[in-house]
Amino acid sequence: MTRPVQRAGPLRVSAPADVVRAFRRETGWREEDGPPPASFPVVWMRLPEIGEPIRAAAQEIGLPVHEAQLFDYARPLETGASYDLRLEMRRQSNPMRLIATAEIFDLSGAFVARVVSTLRLIDPATVSPPPPEAAS
């Protein structure tokens, strides 16, 4: 059975200097000031238009477990810039996975980057709980 591909966007996203600075600090960059790191698009997952469809699609099956992430840049993101993001989600069935692909374009329509997140979808009913720890 082929599952439909779900799409959203284009959604306007941005890389404000204060958010980039906080992300750099929280992810261990020495200098707080500088360009957005390659992994910066994960910040946009907090936006309901992006994060909610991914969470909803994953929860239909069960527990989403991060399996892989790919960042493919044609050019770096710029602090202070806005972008249009197009999101595509598709499922694989053996094993169950949700693959979310975000394509990022500058406001002129030029391709900037592709971010692919792969989530393994695990039915919690199939996972045995860990045994209780033996009392010492």
Side-chain angles (χ1 to χ4, degrees):
M1 173 180 160
T2 302
R3 300 197 182 271
V5 173
Q6 296 174 282
R7 291 185 175 88
L11 306 165
R12 186 64 46 95
V13 296
S14 63
D18 59 329
V19 177
V20 171
R21 193 173 300 115
F23 185 80
R24 288 178 65 87
R25 183 177 51 250
E26 292 299 318
T27 55
W29 290 82
R30 283 181 213 215
E31 299 87 24
E32 288 185 3
D33 290 318
S39 57
F40 183 80
V42 301
V43 168
W44 299 326
M45 293 287 294
R46 293 183 316 176
L47 298 171
E49 304 89 346
I50 297 170
E52 288 302 318
I54 293 172
R55 281 187 285 281
Q59 288 174 352
E60 288 176 18
I61 302 300
L63 178 67
V65 177
H66 185 263
E67 186 174 69
Q69 194 139 23
L70 168 75
F71 299 93
D72 181 22
Y73 280 85
R75 67 174 200 264
L77 295 175
E78 296 178 24
T79 299
S82 292
Y83 299 94
D84 285 331
L85 182 146
R86 293 188 180 113
L87 178 65
E88 177 181 287
M89 294 180 296
R90 62 185 168 84
R91 288 199 201 147
Q92 291 180 340
S93 58
N94 194 10
M96 288 297 293
R97 289 185 175 109
L98 177 66
I99 300 170
T101 302
E103 290 189 332
I104 303 163
F105 300 86
D106 69 18
L107 300 187
S108 74
F111 176 78
V112 175
R114 179 176 296 108
V115 178
V116 182
S117 298
T118 303
L119 301 171
R120 180 75 63 101
L121 303 176
I122 299 171
D123 180 351
T126 65
V127 179
S128 300
E133 292 188 33
S136 301

